[in-house]
Amino acid sequence: MTAPVSRPALEIAVTLPAGARTAREHGADRVELCTGLELGGLTPSAALVTAVVAEGVPVHALVRCRPGDFVHDAEEIALMAADVRTLVACGAAGVVVGALTPEGALDTDAVARLADAAREAADAEGRPVEITLHRAVDQAADPLAAVALLPALGITRVLTSGGAATAAAGLPVIAAMAAAVPGTQVMAGGGLHPADVPALVAAGAAAVHLSAKTRAAHRGAGTWIPLGAAGTSADQDTHFVTDPAVVAEARRVLDTCGAAEA
C-alpha cells in the first residue's frame, strides 16, 4: 500500500485577529503572528497572541525584538527569551526565532537559548511547541550550512527564500536544503505569490508562507502629516490587512499540488 502524501501546509503572516480569521476561513493551516509587517515582522504583544489564539487557528509567534540585522547582543537575546516564554504561555503553538553571528553564521548559542525557553514554557503548559528558524537564514553567509545545524538544535522547520530576494528566485537553494536536511521541513516564503507555489512544492518545499497582504484604506478624515513613517501620503501611510482572495488562491494551488502527487 502506498503511504499517503502529506498535504503541503499553508502559513499566512497576519498582524491582527481579523487577519487570522480571514486566513482560517480561506484555508490556512496556521498563521505566523507579528507586528510591523512592513519592517519584516516584530514580536507581537501577549494580548495580541491571546486574542489570535482565540480565533481557533494555530498561532506561531514571531519573536524579533527590533528591525534591522539579526546579530543580537546578550540583552536582546534575554529579552527575546522572556518573550518566548510569555507567548507560549499565552497559547502560541509555536515560535519563530533566529540569530546570526557577526560573521554571518547561525548563532547556535542564541538559537539554542530561545529554543530551550520555548520548550521549558511548553513543558510547563503540558503541551508540545513547534520552533521555526526565521529568515535570518537568508542573510547568513551560507544558508545551506546554517540549515544543516538545525537538527542538532532540535529545530524541525526553516522559513526561507533560499537566500534570495524572493522564494521563486531562491528555488535552487530551497531544493538543496530540502535534499540535504530531509528531517527539516523547508517552508518557502519571501515575496511569494500563489503562481510560484507549484515549482516550490516540486522542489521539496513542505509548506509555503505568504503575507497575502493588501493596504488598508486610510480611515482618518483629518489633516495628514508624516509621523516618521515611510509613507509620503495618507494613502501610503496605512497598515496591511490580509487579502482573502490571495489566501484562497494559495490554498487552491496547494491542494492541486497535493492531488497531483497522490
Side-chain angles (χ1 to χ4, degrees), residues 15-234:
T15 60
L16 292 167
R21 285 194 297 275
T22 297
R24 171 175 52 81
E25 291 167 359
H26 291 84
D29 295 295
R30 59 180 177 261
V31 298
E32 181 195 67
L33 180 62
C34 64
T35 61
L37 195 56
E38 66 280 4
L39 299 173
L42 299 171
T43 308
S45 69
L48 180 54
V49 170
T50 300
V52 174
V53 167
E55 294 298 330
V57 62
V59 175
H60 289 208
L62 176 66
V63 179
R64 182 183 178 216
C65 64
R66 57 160 175 78
D69 64 46
F70 297 104
V71 180
H72 294 289
D73 61 26
E75 185 175 54
E76 291 172 341
I77 294 298
L79 174 62
M80 290 190 290
D83 276 333
V84 164
R85 293 188 180 90
T86 297
L87 301 185
V88 171
C90 288
V95 291
V96 187
V97 299
L100 299 176
T101 69
E103 295 75 29
L106 187 69
D107 188 339
T108 53
D109 289 342
V111 173
R113 182 173 176 185
L114 298 173
D116 287 345
R119 295 186 191 102
E120 290 165 4
D123 286 347
E125 298 292 318
R127 59 178 175 84
V129 65
E130 296 184 50
I131 304 167
T132 301
L133 177 68
H134 61 47
R135 290 193 61 205
V137 70
D138 293 321
Q139 292 190 7
D142 185 341
L144 188 57
V147 171
L149 298 171
L150 296 185
L153 296 170
I155 296 176
T156 56
R157 182 182 298 118
V158 58
L159 170 60
T160 180
S161 65
T166 67
L171 188 148
V173 174
I174 289 172
M177 288 177 177
V181 195
T184 299
Q185 184 187 88
V186 176
M187 178 164 57
L192 189 57
H193 301 284
D196 303 321
V197 167
L200 290 162
V201 171
V208 296
H209 168 104
L210 293 84
S211 59
K213 64 182 183 291
T214 188
R215 284 191 179 275
H218 184 76
R219 293 180 288 192
T223 300
W224 180 85
I225 59 169
L227 299 174
T232 57
S233 68

